[in-house]
mmCIF file of all heavy atoms in Angstrom:
data_model
loop_
_atom_site.group_PDB
_atom_site.id
_atom_site.type_symbol
_atom_site.label_atom_id
_atom_site.label_comp_id
_atom_site.label_asym_id
_atom_site.label_seq_id
_atom_site.Cartn_x
_atom_site.Cartn_y
_atom_site.Cartn_z
ATOM 1 N N ASP A 312 126.906 113.032 119.736
ATOM 2 C CA ASP A 312 126.469 114.368 120.138
ATOM 3 C C ASP A 312 127.247 114.836 121.362
ATOM 4 O O ASP A 312 128.109 114.124 121.883
ATOM 5 C CB ASP A 312 124.944 114.423 120.343
ATOM 6 C CG ASP A 312 124.459 113.707 121.597
ATOM 7 O OD1 ASP A 312 125.303 113.177 122.365
ATOM 8 O OD2 ASP A 312 123.234 113.665 121.823
ATOM 9 N N GLU A 313 126.965 116.052 121.805
ATOM 10 C CA GLU A 313 127.723 116.649 122.896
ATOM 11 C C GLU A 313 127.383 116.048 124.254
ATOM 12 O O GLU A 313 127.971 116.424 125.263
ATOM 13 C CB GLU A 313 127.501 118.170 122.890
ATOM 14 C CG GLU A 313 128.093 118.824 121.631
ATOM 15 C CD GLU A 313 127.719 120.289 121.480
ATOM 16 O OE1 GLU A 313 127.096 120.846 122.418
ATOM 17 O OE2 GLU A 313 128.032 120.873 120.432
ATOM 18 N N HIS A 314 126.434 115.116 124.273
ATOM 19 C CA HIS A 314 126.093 114.400 125.500
ATOM 20 C C HIS A 314 126.746 113.023 125.544
ATOM 21 O O HIS A 314 126.448 112.226 126.434
ATOM 22 C CB HIS A 314 124.580 114.258 125.627
ATOM 23 C CG HIS A 314 123.831 115.552 125.463
ATOM 24 N ND1 HIS A 314 123.977 116.609 126.341
ATOM 25 C CD2 HIS A 314 122.950 115.968 124.512
ATOM 26 C CE1 HIS A 314 123.216 117.617 125.945
ATOM 27 N NE2 HIS A 314 122.582 117.250 124.839
ATOM 28 N N GLY A 315 127.616 112.745 124.570
ATOM 29 C CA GLY A 315 128.312 111.474 124.541
ATOM 30 C C GLY A 315 127.514 110.332 123.960
ATOM 31 O O GLY A 315 127.899 109.165 124.100
ATOM 32 N N ARG A 316 126.404 110.637 123.278
ATOM 33 C CA ARG A 316 125.547 109.606 122.719
ATOM 34 C C ARG A 316 125.829 109.385 121.241
ATOM 35 O O ARG A 316 126.314 110.279 120.545
ATOM 36 C CB ARG A 316 124.070 109.987 122.889
ATOM 37 C CG ARG A 316 123.655 110.264 124.318
ATOM 38 C CD ARG A 316 122.175 110.617 124.402
ATOM 39 N NE ARG A 316 121.843 111.814 123.629
ATOM 40 C CZ ARG A 316 120.605 112.330 123.533
ATOM 41 N NH1 ARG A 316 119.605 111.724 124.165
ATOM 42 N NH2 ARG A 316 120.384 113.430 122.838
ATOM 43 N N ARG A 317 125.520 108.205 120.735
ATOM 44 C CA ARG A 317 125.576 107.918 119.310
ATOM 45 C C ARG A 317 124.145 107.996 118.781
ATOM 46 O O ARG A 317 123.289 107.179 119.102
ATOM 47 C CB ARG A 317 126.172 106.532 119.066
ATOM 48 C CG ARG A 317 126.174 106.034 117.633
ATOM 49 C CD ARG A 317 126.912 106.898 116.642
ATOM 50 N NE ARG A 317 128.273 107.261 117.008
ATOM 51 C CZ ARG A 317 129.118 107.892 116.201
ATOM 52 N NH1 ARG A 317 128.739 108.254 114.980
ATOM 53 N NH2 ARG A 317 130.328 108.202 116.627
ATOM 54 N N ILE A 318 123.858 109.034 117.972
ATOM 55 C CA ILE A 318 122.525 109.296 117.435
ATOM 56 C C ILE A 318 122.483 108.851 115.981
ATOM 57 O O ILE A 318 123.366 109.192 115.186
ATOM 58 C CB ILE A 318 122.170 110.793 117.528
ATOM 59 C CG1 ILE A 318 122.306 111.294 118.972
ATOM 60 C CG2 ILE A 318 120.777 111.043 116.979
ATOM 61 C CD1 ILE A 318 121.313 110.720 119.931
ATOM 62 N N MET A 319 121.438 108.114 115.625
ATOM 63 C CA MET A 319 121.317 107.584 114.264
ATOM 64 C C MET A 319 119.954 107.927 113.660
ATOM 65 O O MET A 319 118.931 107.875 114.348
ATOM 66 C CB MET A 319 121.512 106.061 114.268
ATOM 67 C CG MET A 319 121.376 105.401 112.898
ATOM 68 S SD MET A 319 121.664 103.603 112.955
ATOM 69 C CE MET A 319 123.463 103.567 113.141
ATOM 70 N N PHE A 320 119.979 108.281 112.377
ATOM 71 C CA PHE A 320 118.765 108.452 111.584
ATOM 72 C C PHE A 320 118.845 107.524 110.370
ATOM 73 O O PHE A 320 119.942 107.197 109.898
ATOM 74 C CB PHE A 320 118.630 109.883 111.062
ATOM 75 C CG PHE A 320 118.203 110.907 112.074
ATOM 76 C CD1 PHE A 320 119.127 111.489 112.930
ATOM 77 C CD2 PHE A 320 116.881 111.318 112.160
ATOM 78 C CE1 PHE A 320 118.747 112.444 113.851
ATOM 79 C CE2 PHE A 320 116.490 112.275 113.076
ATOM 80 C CZ PHE A 320 117.421 112.845 113.928
ATOM 81 N N GLY A 321 117.703 107.149 109.843
ATOM 82 C CA GLY A 321 117.638 106.392 108.595
ATOM 83 C C GLY A 321 116.513 106.920 107.728
ATOM 84 O O GLY A 321 115.650 107.691 108.180
ATOM 85 N N TRP A 322 116.526 106.489 106.486
ATOM 86 C CA TRP A 322 115.508 106.881 105.508
ATOM 87 C C TRP A 322 114.416 105.819 105.446
ATOM 88 O O TRP A 322 114.690 104.660 105.165
ATOM 89 C CB TRP A 322 116.171 107.073 104.145
ATOM 90 C CG TRP A 322 115.252 107.150 102.959
ATOM 91 C CD1 TRP A 322 114.031 107.749 102.876
ATOM 92 C CD2 TRP A 322 115.505 106.601 101.658
ATOM 93 N NE1 TRP A 322 113.506 107.609 101.610
ATOM 94 C CE2 TRP A 322 114.397 106.914 100.849
ATOM 95 C CE3 TRP A 322 116.579 105.886 101.112
ATOM 96 C CZ2 TRP A 322 114.315 106.522 99.509
ATOM 97 C CZ3 TRP A 322 116.506 105.491 99.781
ATOM 98 C CH2 TRP A 322 115.385 105.811 98.983
ATOM 99 N N LEU A 323 113.165 106.236 105.700
ATOM 100 C CA LEU A 323 112.024 105.350 105.564
ATOM 101 C C LEU A 323 111.481 105.483 104.149
ATOM 102 O O LEU A 323 110.823 106.477 103.813
ATOM 103 C CB LEU A 323 110.928 105.702 106.578
ATOM 104 C CG LEU A 323 111.068 105.169 108.003
ATOM 105 C CD1 LEU A 323 112.359 105.628 108.665
ATOM 106 C CD2 LEU A 323 109.867 105.594 108.847
ATOM 107 N N GLN A 324 111.778 104.503 103.319
ATOM 108 C CA GLN A 324 111.278 104.520 101.956
ATOM 109 C C GLN A 324 109.759 104.329 101.938
ATOM 110 O O GLN A 324 109.161 103.874 102.907
ATOM 111 C CB GLN A 324 111.951 103.426 101.133
ATOM 112 C CG GLN A 324 113.453 103.582 101.006
ATOM 113 C CD GLN A 324 114.053 102.602 100.022
ATOM 114 O OE1 GLN A 324 113.464 102.267 98.997
ATOM 115 N NE2 GLN A 324 115.249 102.115 100.334
ATOM 116 N N GLU A 325 109.174 104.677 100.805
ATOM 117 C CA GLU A 325 107.734 104.485 100.634
ATOM 118 C C GLU A 325 107.436 103.043 100.230
ATOM 119 O O GLU A 325 108.280 102.352 99.663
ATOM 120 C CB GLU A 325 107.182 105.434 99.578
ATOM 121 C CG GLU A 325 107.344 106.905 99.906
ATOM 122 C CD GLU A 325 106.486 107.356 101.068
ATOM 123 O OE1 GLU A 325 105.434 106.722 101.334
ATOM 124 O OE2 GLU A 325 106.851 108.351 101.719
ATOM 125 N N GLY A 326 106.198 102.639 100.482
ATOM 126 C CA GLY A 326 105.742 101.324 100.059
ATOM 127 C C GLY A 326 104.584 101.407 99.095
ATOM 128 O O GLY A 326 103.852 100.445 98.898
ATOM 129 N N ARG A 327 104.398 102.593 98.494
ATOM 130 C CA ARG A 327 103.347 102.763 97.492
ATOM 131 C C ARG A 327 103.967 103.147 96.161
ATOM 132 O O ARG A 327 105.189 103.327 96.060
ATOM 133 C CB ARG A 327 102.325 103.794 97.958
ATOM 134 C CG ARG A 327 102.894 105.171 98.313
ATOM 135 C CD ARG A 327 101.811 106.086 98.870
ATOM 136 N NE ARG A 327 102.338 107.396 99.245
ATOM 137 C CZ ARG A 327 101.594 108.370 99.757
ATOM 138 N NH1 ARG A 327 100.296 108.176 99.952
ATOM 139 N NH2 ARG A 327 102.129 109.535 100.072
ATOM 140 N N THR A 328 103.179 103.303 95.142
ATOM 141 C CA THR A 328 103.693 103.469 93.789
ATOM 142 C C THR A 328 104.254 104.871 93.561
ATOM 143 O O THR A 328 103.907 105.827 94.274
ATOM 144 C CB THR A 328 102.590 103.216 92.753
ATOM 145 O OG1 THR A 328 101.568 104.215 92.894
ATOM 146 C CG2 THR A 328 101.971 101.830 92.936
ATOM 147 N N ASP A 329 105.095 104.991 92.538
ATOM 148 C CA ASP A 329 105.623 106.301 92.165
ATOM 149 C C ASP A 329 104.489 107.258 91.804
ATOM 150 O O ASP A 329 104.552 108.456 92.100
ATOM 151 C CB ASP A 329 106.577 106.166 90.969
ATOM 152 C CG ASP A 329 107.843 105.410 91.313
ATOM 153 O OD1 ASP A 329 108.149 105.278 92.520
ATOM 154 O OD2 ASP A 329 108.530 104.952 90.378
ATOM 155 N N GLU A 330 103.451 106.729 91.164
ATOM 156 C CA GLU A 330 102.321 107.568 90.776
ATOM 157 C C GLU A 330 101.594 108.104 92.006
ATOM 158 O O GLU A 330 101.184 109.272 92.044
ATOM 159 C CB GLU A 330 101.361 106.778 89.894
ATOM 160 C CG GLU A 330 101.890 106.445 88.510
ATOM 161 C CD GLU A 330 102.962 105.364 88.504
ATOM 162 O OE1 GLU A 330 103.051 104.602 89.507
ATOM 163 O OE2 GLU A 330 103.737 105.298 87.532
ATOM 164 N N ALA A 331 101.446 107.256 93.024
ATOM 165 C CA ALA A 331 100.797 107.704 94.260
ATOM 166 C C ALA A 331 101.635 108.773 94.949
ATOM 167 O O ALA A 331 101.096 109.759 95.473
ATOM 168 C CB ALA A 331 100.573 106.517 95.191
ATOM 169 N N ASN A 332 102.948 108.618 94.936
ATOM 170 C CA ASN A 332 103.824 109.624 95.526
ATOM 171 C C ASN A 332 103.704 110.947 94.788
ATOM 172 O O ASN A 332 103.642 112.020 95.407
ATOM 173 C CB ASN A 332 105.276 109.142 95.492
ATOM 174 C CG ASN A 332 105.508 107.898 96.332
ATOM 175 O OD1 ASN A 332 104.823 107.665 97.317
ATOM 176 N ND2 ASN A 332 106.477 107.092 95.927
ATOM 177 N N ALA A 333 103.695 110.882 93.458
ATOM 178 C CA ALA A 333 103.604 112.097 92.655
ATOM 179 C C ALA A 333 102.287 112.821 92.924
ATOM 180 O O ALA A 333 102.246 114.050 93.048
ATOM 181 C CB ALA A 333 103.734 111.759 91.176
ATOM 182 N N GLN A 334 101.223 112.065 93.033
ATOM 183 C CA GLN A 334 99.926 112.675 93.308
ATOM 184 C C GLN A 334 99.896 113.298 94.697
ATOM 185 O O GLN A 334 99.313 114.369 94.899
ATOM 186 C CB GLN A 334 98.826 111.634 93.179
ATOM 187 C CG GLN A 334 97.420 112.195 93.349
ATOM 188 C CD GLN A 334 96.347 111.154 93.102
ATOM 189 O OE1 GLN A 334 96.637 109.984 92.861
ATOM 190 N NE2 GLN A 334 95.093 111.580 93.161
#
Side-chain angles (χ1 to χ4, degrees):
D312 72 2
E313 294 171 6
H314 309 296
R316 304 181 299 180
R317 174 59 51 173
I318 305 293
M319 179 178 285
F320 284 83
W322 166 38
L323 278 58
Q324 298 188 36
E325 299 291 335
R327 56 185 179 180
T328 65
D329 293 342
E330 290 73 19
N332 296 331
Q334 184 175 3

